Amino acid sequence: MYFLSMLTMGGYLLARRAQFSLAVDSYDTWCLLLPRTGAFAFEVSGGSSGVAGFGDVVVCPPGGTLQRRMLRPMSFFHARFSTELEPPAGCTRLPDVGRLRADLAMLDCAEGHADLVAAHVVTDLILMMLRAHRDAPGDELVRRATAYLLEHFASPDLSLADLAAGLGISPAQLSRRFKAVQGITPVAYLRNLRLQKARELLTETDATLQSIAERSGYRSAFYLSRLFTHHTGYPPSHHRNTNRV
């Protein structure tokens, strides 16, 4: 409750859009923007820029300007707030996405105390961001690699060897440095992005499995089905049947 007293909400929005209403905006207070699905390119005044997907939180400080452009249709959480805490400006990757999902689920269920729940969620996001910056070593090369994977994961021709070469290091060095920051290898990170996209398409569209495979970075529906089943414990058809509303 002490932390909640250090934060005042100025407003928040849960939405799903194909494009942002504004490509650029300035704020008198802190603001944050995070995707639940989809991805967006951003630039925060001061030089921080990149691509954000699920698990990323983009923060713009008071008096700052946030430019944003959707790369894919998004559902997202946007909040404006004042706080005595010092959230890190720019993009922060949250290591505990399970906790993030739990926070967002609370917003979905908020009814009579929506503002209080939103304040709790924003406070928890700030605490997670502060901890992530405290615990994770900074690595600009890994940030560039992460942004590239977020933007290009749907390309079946994406090559981690080519990505490493473009960054001027060996694949082994990329894997080691990436895991030190993100907690998983770039191969696993890429697979998770693709499977997350497949989950979204299974839930939100009637597309065939072959179409979903191609839009998720795989050429074969059979391969996607085998991979999906191995990593989730159930086939794509089960996910679609149990998650459609």
Side-chain angles (χ1 to χ4, degrees), residues 15-193:
R16 179 172 179 81
R17 303 260 174 84
Q19 293 294 334
F20 290 116
S21 299
L22 297 172
V24 58
D25 204 357
S26 298
Y27 302 91
D28 296 327
T29 61
W30 291 92
C31 85
L32 66 79
L33 176 62
L34 67 90
R36 304 183 71 173
T37 61
F40 70 100
F42 69 89
E43 182 173 349
V44 177
S45 53
S48 178
S49 61
V51 175
F54 178 72
D56 296 316
V57 183
V58 175
V59 171
C60 182
T65 299
L66 174 61
Q67 299 182 50
R68 57 281 181 108
R69 175 175 59 86
M70 284 192 194
L71 301 174
R72 298 187 298 279
M74 284 173 48
S75 57
F76 60 89
F77 174 55
H78 179 267
R80 292 177 290 105
F81 55 94
S82 299
T83 180
E84 297 176 33
L85 301 171
E86 286 291 331
C91 184
T92 300
R93 181 73 182 175
L94 301 180
D96 191 347
V97 294
R99 183 168 160 184
L100 172 59
R101 287 193 178 96
D103 279 343
L104 295 174
M106 282 194 288
L107 287 171
D108 289 331
C109 299
E111 293 180 358
H113 305 286
D115 289 343
L116 181 61
V117 171
H120 167 80
V121 168
V122 171
T123 302
D124 196 44
L125 291 172
I126 293 172
L127 295 177
M128 285 195 284
M129 285 186 281
L130 290 171
R131 182 173 182 178
H133 277 260
R134 183 196 69 193
D135 294 345
D139 194 323
E140 173 62 17
L141 181 145
V142 172
R143 188 194 69 78
R144 289 164 56 196
T146 302
Y148 186 89
L149 292 175
L150 280 164
E151 188 166 4
H152 298 283
F153 75 88
S155 170
D157 296 319
L158 190 156
S159 165
L160 292 175
D162 289 345
L163 173 58
L167 295 169
I169 60 174
S170 71
Q173 288 175 312
L174 173 61
S175 183
R176 183 172 62 253
R177 290 172 63 171
F178 196 98
K179 187 173 183 179
V181 174
Q182 298 286 14
I184 58 175
T185 67
V187 171
Y189 187 84
L190 175 61
R191 182 190 64 234
N192 290 347
L193 287 175

